[in-house]
Amino acid sequence: MERHLFGIRGFAIDTPEFGALRGRRDAAIVVENGRIVAVGNFAEVRRSPRAAGVRWLEHGNVAIFPGLIDCHTHLPQYAVVARGQSGLLPWLRENIFPVEREFTGPKARVEAPQFFQQLARHGTTTAMVYAAIYEDSCNVGFEAARDSGLRIILGKMMMDLGSYGQLQPKKILSVSLLESERLCRRWHGADEGRLEYAFSPRFAVTCSEKLMRSAAELAGQCGAYLQTHLAENREEIEKVHNLYMPARDYTDVYEKAGLLTPKTVLGHCIHLSDREINAIAASKSAIAHCPTSNLFLGSGLMKLDRCRAAGIAIGLGSDVAAGPELNMWQVMRAAVDVQTARTFHDPTVPALRLSEAFYLATTGGAEALGKRAAIGTLDVGKEADLTLVNVDALLPYSDPREHLTGLSKEDVLALCVYRGGPHATAETFVRGRSVYRAASQPKT
Ligand code: GUN
Ligand code: FE
């Protein structure tokens, strides 16, 4: 196998534990065959035997972060971000289902590659994604994900109640299961595990008990992920209560269907009782917290401290298109803002620090997806999923004296969370392979 060896010099910042921000000024990271093989002070690493044959990338003043992890987003919805002014259920009916209905054939083939390019441009290296209900929308999504080089978990949207497709209602359930299983067998674990499958029953409002139970069984048989939405909005909860009268609560509907597993990622989880939080913790399912979406749709303020205290693994999600951007820096900022808003009503609620929001978008996301051993930090042995940020592009003035040397790790992180975005992404890597490079970056 050809040896692929290179080094990056910059301000390396990561967070191995919740709240513990680690910064290495003038650091070097050496990547060999897709893995981090050395991290340390640049001058020391360059002098060490490890540096022999290393090709050093020229990037100027960059901060080096672990690639950002988006635990919940919707491929067919990106075209209609920032549309609509209503709550969840009318928004889905009026703004989303009409767009997902069209996400097939040539439209999907044009949009899917761009969607993954945009993720990479925003510094996202791993994403857990919903396709539309069509098998081809998911195949096209996987082909684009494969070509993008990103680490993607994707699944065909499953719904058999009030679906937007053309199928006879009697056939919807069996076709949805058959197609999902076929997609899983084709894609789960492809490209040495870079692509994985998630069985994706939309939520209890649009899924029969049989669909949810069968999806859970198939996911278990295939070792695939499960993803769904839970307790996002009060009207939704009321609907689920009316549909599933015998259930104790919304979470119980999923428990009874076998959907709560260690490979399950639950989007939102805003309006949960203590019983439900404890049940999720006991099942080892994870939560994708989607604060930009929750603010955009007016869904509510997630009780992050309570879910964390129960021991639930939590990552962040852009939830495009209910979240108006793929930008995970903006999602971190909104996560901080949501907890701050809660403190206004209840001073006992702990504020969320920037380093903690950054944890949720990196190590926390990796934990939620069961990938903590592989990604999330800049430790030796991890797969080299990285995003490089041109910090100069985030400063208010282009004064060279203000460059990275004068900034602390907290300053750099704050600039990224409050002002970060694709305009400042210099380069993004997955398994040491460049998946996005800004046009203005020097060639190597
Ligand atoms: N609940 C069910 N479907 C969806 C969706 O597409 N987006 C959001 N935000 N919530 C949902
Ligand atoms: Fe969603």
Side-chain angles (χ1 to χ4, degrees):
M1 180 175 154
E2 194 196 343
R3 190 158 164 251
H4 184 223
L5 180 68
F6 66 93
I8 309 164
R9 180 181 187 178
F11 197 153
I13 300 175
D14 67 353
T15 164
E17 300 300 331
F18 189 74
L21 192 65
R22 185 163 63 170
R24 289 195 182 92
R25 193 187 293 282
D26 200 18
I29 295 189
V30 179
V31 175
E32 183 171 6
N33 296 335
R35 280 187 193 277
I36 298 174
V37 294
V39 183
N41 173 271
F42 175 72
E44 285 169 21
V45 171
R46 200 168 52 170
R47 268 188 265 112
S48 73
R50 261 271 159 237
V54 168
R55 178 173 60 94
W56 292 97
L57 305 189
E58 284 298 328
H59 265 299
N61 268 317
V62 286
I64 308 170
F65 296 104
L68 306 177
I69 299 175
D70 185 342
C71 292
H72 181 127
T73 193
H74 297 261
L75 163 62
Q77 298 181 15
Y78 193 42
V80 288
V81 280
R83 244 13 113 74
Q85 298 264 296
S86 50
L88 174 65
L89 299 181
W91 172 81
L92 280 174
R93 240 183 352 258
E94 290 155 22
N95 296 93
I96 296 306
F97 289 179
V99 174
E100 286 195 11
R101 182 184 292 124
E102 302 295 318
F103 196 82
T104 179
K107 188 175 182 337
R109 259 185 283 283
V110 168
E111 290 185 11
Q114 295 185 59
F115 176 81
F116 293 108
Q117 278 158 22
Q118 287 298 322
L119 281 175
R121 183 170 162 259
H122 284 80
T124 297
T125 51
T126 296
M128 185 159 189
V129 187
Y130 292 81
I133 58 166
Y134 312 108
E135 185 172 14
D136 87 320
S137 84
C138 199
N139 271 320
V140 166
F142 268 118
E143 283 159 15
R146 178 193 61 203
D147 297 345
S148 74
L150 294 178
R151 198 184 287 277
I152 298 296
I153 304 163
L154 176 66
K156 180 189 111 89
M157 187 68 91
M158 304 175 83
M159 44 203 286
D160 63 338
L161 305 174
S163 183
Y164 50 74
Q166 307 287 330
L167 282 172
Q168 300 280 324
K170 269 192 289 186
K171 286 196 173 162
I172 290 179
L173 172 61
S174 56
V175 171
S176 184
L177 293 169
L178 185 96
E179 292 181 344
S180 298
E181 188 178 2
R182 196 155 55 202
L183 285 159
C184 181
R185 299 215 180 278
R186 175 162 177 203
W187 293 105
H188 186 59
D191 197 15
E192 293 169 32
R194 185 168 61 76
L195 305 177
E196 290 173 287
Y197 196 77
F199 286 83
S200 310
R202 182 163 217 138
F203 64 158
V205 176
T206 61
C207 296
S208 68
E209 210 174 333
K210 176 120 192 268
L211 183 145
M212 294 189 281
R213 180 164 304 119
S214 308
E217 279 166 12
L218 284 172
Q221 284 164 21
C222 305
Y225 287 91
L226 279 160
Q227 60 178 347
T228 188
H229 297 80
L230 173 61
E232 175 178 3
N233 163 290
R234 295 209 183 276
E235 193 188 358
E236 167 206 9
I237 294 168
E238 188 62 30
K239 260 217 145 83
V240 173
H241 177 66
N242 291 333
L243 281 169
Y244 292 94
M245 283 291 196
R248 279 177 287 191
D249 45 46
Y250 195 163
T251 303
D252 194 36
V253 174
Y254 290 165
E255 272 179 275
K256 289 209 167 81
L259 278 180
L260 299 191
T261 78
K263 294 212 72 158
T264 301
V265 180
L266 301 162
H268 304 289
C269 296
I270 299 173
H271 309 284
L272 294 178
S273 66
D274 287 345
R275 190 209 80 76
E276 293 177 279
I277 290 173
N278 291 334
I280 293 167
S283 73
K284 299 205 161 27
S285 293
I287 293 176
H289 172 38
C290 307
T292 48
S293 157
N294 302 159
L295 295 173
F296 182 79
L297 292 180
S299 303
L301 306 176
M302 201 256 202
K303 296 169 206 138
L304 190 73
D305 56 325
R306 302 257 293 276
C307 293
R308 271 194 48 79
I312 302 172
I314 302 169
L316 295 182
S318 66
D319 195 23
V320 152
E325 292 196 54
L326 290 172
N327 185 344
M328 291 304 294
W329 299 112
Q330 282 295 303
V331 176
M332 290 179 231
R333 175 189 188 160
V336 169
D337 290 348
V338 161
Q339 298 312 310
T340 303
R342 288 181 65 219
T343 67
F344 299 155
H345 296 284
D346 179 357
T348 65
V349 168
L352 187 71
R353 291 186 290 165
L354 296 190
S355 61
E356 294 166 342
F358 176 52
Y359 175 92
L360 297 178
T362 53
T363 312
E367 191 181 2
L369 302 179
K371 298 186 180 303
R372 207 178 153 159
I375 54 172
T377 64
L378 303 176
D379 287 303
V380 168
K382 291 269 171 109
E383 297 189 27
D385 289 14
L386 313 168
T387 185
L388 313 190
V389 174
N390 173 9
V391 179
D392 291 353
L394 303 177
L395 293 169
Y397 297 115
S398 57
D399 179 344
R401 285 168 304 178
E402 277 284 323
H403 282 336
L404 221 41
T405 44
L407 300 172
S408 68
K409 59 184 192 281
E410 289 83 6
D411 294 337
V412 173
L413 180 65
L415 281 167
C416 289
V417 171
Y418 286 104
R419 295 165 65 84
H423 60 294
T425 307
E427 190 157 8
T428 304
F429 297 88
V430 173
R431 289 181 171 169
R433 176 181 156 201
S434 180
V435 292
Y436 168 77
R437 185 173 175 81
S440 59
Q441 293 303 307
K443 287 254 175 302
T444 53

